[in-house]
Amino acid sequence: MPVFAHGIVGRADLPIPETLFGVAAAAVLVISFTALATLWSQPRLEHYPERRLVPLPAAADVALGTLGVAVFGLTAYAGLAGTEAQRDNLAPTMVYVAFWVGVPVASLLVGDVWRLLSPWRAIGRAAGRLTQRVAGEMPPPMTYPERVGRWPAALGLLGFGLCELAWGAARDPLPLAVLMLAYTVVMLVGMSLYGVEAWSRNADAFGLYFGLFASLSPFTRRDGALWLRPPVVGAVRLEPLAGTTALLVVGIGVTAFDGAAEGPVFNDALPDLQEGFASLGTGPGSALELGFATGLLVMVALIGLIWAAGVAGMPGRPGRALVHSLTPIVAAYVVAHYFSLLAYNGQDVLRLLSDPLGDGSDLLGTGRNTIDYGVVSATTIWYVQVAALVIGHVAALVLAHDRALVIYGSHRDATRSQIVMLVVMVCFTCLGLWLLSAGNG
């Protein structure tokens, strides 16, 4: 397994049995559903209040974009020129901890920071301005095909999941840096064809993925200013374009498999998968990687099946109209699964920034920093994980119920339709709790 793929730590001091956590979580969902059915009879989230806080000058785009490019360049250079030791090279920790986990958490707290930090967007915009100054007025970019929608982003996210969890070499600094540069080329080519904003908002896997977390934040950036809004409600503005459901399903599935890969069910099946692929003529290492890839694809398919079955059980099959309610579940799974990874391995970023190549330098004076594993207890981690799952699924119920009131126009019909949604949320909650327990077993 990749070094940074799994964030759950062992815990042997839980105050009550795990099964009671599951029962309590399901009870919270049922109580929430009952409260919504009783007290929430009119749509309230389609239009919500916002308050303008402070202006954000255009210079912030330039400054933060430059910072994003600098950090990206340093990370890629560390992967290309630094030590091959994963622990002492900046690239693996920066990608799998600071980028993959830290950016989503920051987006939940303060909004769409990645839009400002994205090195691809910054380079694309700078290249566009430079080209316009040198060559004059350029022909307009091609129209991004509506039927393609967000499918490129969904496939890109799945590709990252396969690299992180199934391809052993992707955790090594050099291949990781090559992947970073290859993704940059794809982004820049797409931006040159369809325009920076059109490509970023549809095909950039990470920009869209991190944007899901930002939609749940109480802060949003618009019209050159920072605005305050109620938490979670920003998800209602998620446009259900083609590929949006796939993006959300993949987001949940990748994190869910990261937990399942540590549990007994997958590990009991893995030898058979490896043997099956080896019988086709692949080497032991490739057979193992194919086994992990199969497990990831099966988990993504399972998440998609749960969602599809739930939507199919609702009157009129609302489909994409309710897909935004998956957004809090994506966030819940990420926080629950990776909280300990960020709390512990996130501390190592300062050490590695001071010695990015692993050659013994100490540029920032933090090269001797160590990880303090006492910063948070195992029991606290467990409570945070369970709380994240429960809060995320309750938020999903709220989003789905409010949208159902819009779709069906009747409080009674909307409530009846959400009985199926309640079952879906209980399934997702129990799956999340089981994955946490399996990973700690």
Side-chain angles (χ1 to χ4, degrees), residues 38-52:
T38 305
L39 305 174
W40 201 300
S41 59
Q42 297 292 330
R44 303 179 183 180
L45 304 183
E46 296 298 315
H47 305 284
Y48 49 82
E50 291 183 330
R51 183 160 63 91
R52 191 175 187 273

Side-chain angles (χ1 to χ4, degrees), residues 23-412:
V23 172
V28 169
L29 290 176
V30 172
I31 293 171
S32 301
F33 171 81
T34 304
L36 289 171
T38 305
L39 305 174
W40 201 300
S41 59
Q42 297 292 330
R44 303 179 183 180
L45 304 183
E46 296 298 315
H47 305 284
Y48 49 82
E50 291 183 330
R51 183 160 63 91
R52 191 175 187 273
L53 296 178
V54 294
L56 290 177
D61 273 1
V62 177
L64 293 175
T66 302
L67 175 63
V69 172
V71 173
F72 177 87
L74 176 63
T75 303
Y77 178 70
L80 294 172
T83 177
E84 295 181 0
Q86 299 168 31
R87 181 185 179 277
D88 295 322
N89 191 298
L90 173 67
T93 297
M94 185 60 73
V95 171
Y96 293 123
V97 180
F99 174 74
W100 182 239
V101 183
V103 173
V105 172
S107 300
L108 274 174
L109 296 176
V110 298
D112 198 358
V113 293
W114 183 248
R115 180 170 171 79
L116 299 175
L117 290 170
S118 171
W120 310 298
R121 181 171 175 268
I123 294 172
R125 296 178 70 189
R129 291 194 185 101
L130 180 61
T131 302
Q132 190 171 17
R133 285 185 179 182
V134 172
E137 192 67 28
M138 299 292 292
M142 296 188 295
T143 302
Y144 186 85
E146 184 178 348
R147 66 181 182 279
V148 174
R150 293 175 175 141
W151 279 106
L155 294 175
L157 192 63
L158 180 61
F160 180 87
L162 288 169
C163 289
E164 178 200 11
L165 302 175
W167 185 32
R171 65 179 182 261
D172 295 329
L174 180 57
L176 183 58
V178 172
L179 287 172
M180 292 171 62
L181 297 176
Y183 189 80
T184 300
V185 171
V186 173
M187 290 297 102
L188 295 181
V189 170
M191 290 175 182
S192 68
L193 294 175
Y194 298 104
V196 173
E197 297 303 327
W199 184 260
S200 298
R201 294 182 182 278
N202 289 280
D204 179 8
F206 303 109
L208 282 165
Y209 180 67
F210 298 150
L212 296 175
F213 296 85
S215 71
L216 305 173
S217 171
F219 301 102
T220 184
R221 181 173 181 262
R222 190 182 72 254
D223 301 330
L226 184 68
W227 295 73
L228 180 67
R229 65 190 177 189
V232 178
V233 300
V236 303
R237 292 185 177 174
L238 178 65
E239 295 182 75
L241 306 177
T244 302
T245 303
L247 178 71
L248 287 155
V249 166
V250 169
I252 297 172
V254 168
T255 306
F257 176 70
D258 201 353
E262 294 289 325
V265 174
F266 176 73
N267 282 282
D268 289 345
L270 184 58
D272 293 332
L273 288 171
Q274 185 177 10
E275 183 179 350
F277 285 115
S279 67
L280 299 177
T282 61
S286 297
L288 181 63
E289 291 173 339
L290 288 171
F292 275 101
T294 301
L296 173 57
L297 295 175
V298 168
M299 179 59 76
V300 171
L302 175 62
I303 298 298
L305 182 62
I306 293 174
W307 176 252
V311 172
M314 298 179 192
R317 298 188 178 186
R320 293 182 186 176
L322 293 175
V323 71
H324 68 295
S325 64
L326 286 175
T327 305
I329 301 177
V330 175
Y333 269 57
V334 166
V335 173
H337 185 76
Y338 293 117
F339 173 71
S340 60
L341 178 69
L342 187 61
Y344 296 143
N345 293 77
Q347 300 176 47
D348 213 26
V349 172
L350 279 178
R351 176 183 71 87
L352 293 168
L353 283 173
S354 192
D355 183 16
L357 304 183
D359 57 6
S361 60
D362 192 3
L363 305 176
L364 305 178
T366 56
R368 296 182 179 273
N369 282 20
T370 59
I371 297 176
D372 178 12
Y373 289 99
V375 69
V376 59
S377 70
T379 302
T380 300
I381 289 173
W382 174 238
Y383 278 123
V384 169
Q385 291 169 334
V386 174
L389 286 173
V390 173
I391 293 172
H393 288 81
V394 169
L397 271 180
V398 172
L399 290 173
H401 179 78
D402 192 81
R403 181 60 59 82
L405 290 170
V406 176
I407 295 172
Y408 297 105
S410 163
H411 181 218
R412 176 177 296 181

